[in-house]
């Protein structure tokens, strides 16, 4: 299986999935320090710096079809320590960009049938609608 890692951070999901035998086809991370860590541990993986332009970046050249998208998008706007702007916030609101990528054909020659088969999303306790008894 092939996966695309959005909001890749330092590659926690990526490392776990690689150890399960999956292949990371691309990583998207805005922070340059975290991207340098990704480069150190995943030198062969294509990288991009902005989730908002992921589809254009991915489709700019031939790339493999993606089976899974994994993402742990920013939680600052839903955090109890934050201002509680929710999904309308500038950081946690990037969820909508994530949803756009998940819904897009993610291969240069992709048809609707080549959309990712699955997505693994991680978000903190403050997300509206999240059950309170889930840890």
């Amino acid at each position: 299986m092939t996966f695309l890692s959005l909001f890749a951070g330092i590659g926690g999901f990526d490392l776990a999935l690689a150890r399960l035998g999956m292949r990371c086809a691309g990583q998207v991370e805005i922070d340059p320090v975290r991207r340098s860590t990704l480069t150190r541990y995943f030198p062969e993986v294509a990288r991009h710096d902005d989730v908002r332009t992921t589809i254009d970046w991915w489709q700019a050249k031939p790339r493999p079809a993606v089976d899974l998208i994994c993402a742990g998008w920013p939680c600052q706007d839903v955090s109890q320590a934050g201002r509680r702007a929710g999904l309308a916030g500038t950081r946690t609101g990037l969820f909508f960009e994530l949803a756009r990528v998940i819904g897009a054909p993610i291969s240069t020659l992709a048809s609707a049938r080549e959309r990712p088969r699955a997505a693994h999303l991680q978000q903190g306790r403050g997300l509206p609608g999240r059950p309170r008894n889930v840890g």
Side-chain angles (χ1 to χ4, degrees):
M1 269 183 100
T2 302
F3 69 94
L4 175 61
S5 181
L6 305 179
F7 307 101
I10 59 169
F13 280 149
D14 308 22
L15 180 60
L17 293 172
R19 287 185 176 174
L20 290 172
M22 297 178 70
R23 185 172 70 85
C24 185
Q27 296 165 320
V28 179
E29 173 54 51
I30 199 164
D31 185 273
V33 174
R34 291 179 181 147
R35 274 197 320 274
S36 70
T37 300
L38 292 170
T39 300
R40 188 172 339 133
Y41 291 104
F42 300 92
E44 72 288 352
V45 174
R47 246 169 306 293
H48 185 60
D49 63 354
D50 193 341
V51 71
R52 294 168 292 199
T53 57
T54 296
I55 295 169
D56 292 337
W57 164 71
W58 193 260
Q59 294 179 343
K61 61 188 249 182
R63 301 186 197 267
V66 172
D67 299 304
L68 171 73
I69 291 180
C70 63
W73 75 100
C75 66
Q76 290 88 340
D77 297 315
V78 295
S79 168
Q80 291 187 5
R83 297 185 187 266
R84 307 293 288 166
L87 290 174
T90 58
R91 299 180 94 179
T92 304
L94 289 171
F95 165 79
F96 297 107
E97 294 296 330
L98 166 60
R100 196 172 61 85
V101 173
I102 290 171
I106 202 78
S107 171
T108 304
L109 304 173
S111 68
R113 291 171 295 189
E114 291 179 344
R115 288 187 177 120
R117 295 186 305 176
H120 175 79
L121 309 178
Q122 176 66 36
Q123 185 40 263
R125 291 179 184 250
L127 187 66
R130 181 180 168 104
R132 296 288 179 216
N133 62 347
V134 175

